[in-house]
Amino acid sequence: MSSKLQLTTLAVLVSAALPAQAALYKVVEVAPGVTGNEAYGTAIQPSDEALNTSNPLGCFDSGASSATCEGYKLAGETRNRPDGFSYREEVPFAMDNSFGYIEDDYDGFEDYCFYQLGYATCEYWASDRWSSWYNETYSSNTPNSLAFIEGSAEKPSGAINTVINSLDPSGQPVGNFSTSSKRNEAFSAVTNSTLTSKAQSRAWASDGTYTVGSTSSKSGIGGERYYYSSAPAIWSSSGFVSIPRAGGYEVDGDYYAQGSMRDFYIDSAGGKTYGVGYNNYSDQHMNATIFIGNSATPTSATWSSALIYNAQVDISGDNINSNSVATNINKNLVVVGQAKRSGGFPQNGAASNRLFIVPDASASSINASFFYGGIFFDGAGGEMGGINNFNEIVGRIDSENHREYDGKQRRQRAFIYPYGMTPKTDSSEETAITARRAIFKNKAWLLDDLTNGGSESSNNNQYRIYDASDINDAGVISATAVKCSGGYDSTSHNAYCGDGNGTEKVVAVKLVPISDDTQRSIQPRGYDSTATERKGAGLGFGALTILGLFGFMRKRIK
């Protein structure tokens, strides 16, 4: 199904089928296979490159195998309580490179919330996280984050808390875990003796030959809990490279330099390697960065760092953002990421975590454009999930636009954004991207609107999709949902579970495209006129939005 005529015809058929009003996705719940009150989907297994070429519509194609599409493995984690601070991030709250907030214990948590988030509920926010941090730091260190892949536990030897940031092309996990002597140690199928000798390490993405992440100068445990620096890194089984910091010093007063590589793409034709993440710049600012290696052999390359403008901390002399990071890059050299608005410079009533895109990592001038229009209102905050090679972006975004500063946290929901053509998109793939984008009516959607209606309506109405963490080229999405067993009282966005008294549960799910183009369409969910407030007991440590923008940060490779 690869000719231009066939794909164009299929796109017309898909468009013609829209009035049928059926869902685009089937929601498939994944059993974690490990203990935990709540389960989160964090990554999806990449689809085979040969399959992408022969069947570019992926699991949206009428000839797609349901067994294949539902068979892509989902990686996830459980939680019994929120992270003290993210098990993924190099430093607390993705910005505290002086370790000042975290050193002050409960008061520091409350100060971070007050100064950088601005919620009226900071006492609750801080207490919830401080209790976890206390347990992890001073008490029993009971495991909280247990990782799994499709029902099988993934626990490296000696691990306490484990996270999976991505799956490599073979379905092997890439992530990090804590031990009694290290706060974080990287794990992936690619090992290196230099890496294992580092005091701390994290792995974010791998192609099976190379892995990227970061390494740190101290263990983050015991007397070395605070005051360590980190650097972006890439390694293979035979080589290791630590990327130089872009400016400043390893230690400057109370601040410690930090850096991390979150994803990468090897441009064999162009003889370069592109990485994305953040690096340390003047005044110890942590800024979103594109790393450029001058070889298609990354561990032999000389590396430079290109700051992503418009997303940096210091803009025209003011610290508009507290930090920024580029999270993903695809083969079209499209880069996506996020920039946390500083608490001193809120936008539209919120110090939000705004999502951005860079259409071409090889451009002479690298500038971020923040998502805007449609579901992305001015000042909307969220979390970037990932991007596939068809330029389809997933994540989560504010679904409410009330004032957060001096107010309550906005509710968030998962989204998909079919971005479309970009400067480096191969002309042979234009037809496929156009046809896939047409399925979504060429615009971004909350994923709840794409799981409504048709033969899957009854099953899908048990779920409201909170977060989309990853998407492969076949179009299968790893996600996290709130579940009301048996179904919500209506199909609306704000429906009750059991008239407000039912039990909701946080579960890991896959969103699998419906392949029959005559049985799928878009039927947006409505809103019930009666104001709703969830009263179920199943959320454990509170509503999903209270988990915050920074308790659950991640990463992936496509």
Side-chain angles (χ1 to χ4, degrees), residues 84 119 127 150 221 236 286 300 336 368 394 396 417 490 512 543:
Y119 305 149
S127 177
E150 290 285 328
I221 296 292
S236 66
M286 299 158 57
S300 299
V336 292
V394 297
R396 72 175 187 258
Y417 182 11
S490 74
V512 180

Side-chain angles (χ1 to χ4, degrees), residues 125-339:
W125 189 98
S127 177
D128 212 23
R129 285 154 181 77
W130 158 246
S131 61
S132 284
W133 173 243
Y134 182 89
N135 178 76
E136 295 160 12
T137 308
Y138 306 114
S139 188
S140 63
N141 207 8
T142 304
N144 182 35
S145 181
L146 301 181
F148 62 89
I149 299 177
E150 290 285 328
S152 298
E154 293 292 331
K155 186 177 180 181
S157 177
I160 299 172
N161 290 309
T162 306
V163 295
I164 296 176
N165 293 318
S166 63
L167 295 175
D168 72 16
S170 298
Q172 296 301 304
V174 182
N176 53 272
F177 61 96
S178 62
T179 68
S180 59
S181 60
K182 291 186 178 182
R183 175 165 176 83
N184 282 288
E185 185 164 350
F187 74 100
S188 73
V190 181
T191 59
N192 180 281
S193 58
T194 301
L195 176 77
T196 55
S197 69
K198 298 293 184 178
Q200 283 194 79
S201 57
R202 295 163 177 81
W204 287 84
S206 179
D207 65 359
T209 301
Y210 299 96
T211 298
V212 297
S214 67
T215 59
S216 300
S217 61
K218 293 182 180 181
S219 69
I221 296 292
E224 298 181 329
R225 181 169 291 112
Y226 310 115
Y227 316 131
Y228 53 81
S229 62
S230 62
I234 184 167
W235 62 90
S236 66
S237 59
S238 59
F240 177 90
V241 175
S242 181
I243 310 299
R245 64 183 59 90
Y249 306 92
E250 181 176 5
V251 181
D252 186 5
D254 294 333
Y255 294 90
Y256 292 75
Q258 308 294 333
S260 178
M261 191 181 296
R262 302 293 175 86
D263 200 0
F264 71 107
Y265 176 71
I266 298 175
D267 180 9
S268 299
K272 292 183 177 181
T273 302
Y274 294 89
V276 297
Y278 70 88
N279 207 342
N280 182 79
Y281 291 80
S282 60
D283 294 325
Q284 302 300 86
H285 291 157
M286 299 158 57
N287 288 327
T289 295
I290 296 172
F291 304 101
I292 304 169
N294 64 354
S295 170
T297 305
T299 52
S300 299
T302 299
W303 288 86
S304 61
S305 295
L307 185 148
I308 298 177
Y309 288 94
N310 297 337
Q312 75 270 30
V313 171
D314 187 325
I315 299 177
S316 300
D318 291 318
N319 288 351
I320 301 299
N321 297 306
S322 63
N323 63 288
S324 60
V325 59
T327 57
N328 302 90
I329 184 171
N330 68 7
K331 72 176 185 179
N332 302 317
L333 301 188
V334 181
V335 176
V336 292
Q338 54 204 27

Side-chain angles (χ1 to χ4, degrees), residues 480-552:
T480 302
V482 186
K483 180 183 181 182
C484 176
S485 293
Y488 284 90
D489 294 354
S490 74
T491 61
S492 66
H493 280 286
N494 58 340
Y496 279 117
C497 177
D499 198 28
N501 297 307
T503 297
E504 295 173 290
K505 185 178 182 181
V506 181
V507 297
V509 298
K510 290 186 285 193
L511 302 185
V512 180
I514 295 172
S515 60
D516 187 345
D517 57 318
T518 66
Q519 296 296 316
R520 67 172 184 244
S521 183
I522 297 175
Q523 182 179 4
R525 296 183 187 275
Y527 288 88
D528 290 336
S529 58
T530 302
T532 65
E533 180 181 353
R534 301 194 186 281
K535 300 177 182 178
L539 287 183
F541 48 76
L544 274 169
T545 51
I546 302 301
L547 291 179
L549 300 178
F550 310 103
F552 203 52

Side-chain angles (χ1 to χ4, degrees), residues 361-380:
S362 67
S364 57
S365 179
I366 305 296
N367 295 282
S369 297
F370 290 95
F371 291 4
Y372 184 73
I375 63 173
F376 306 113
F377 58 84
D378 184 34

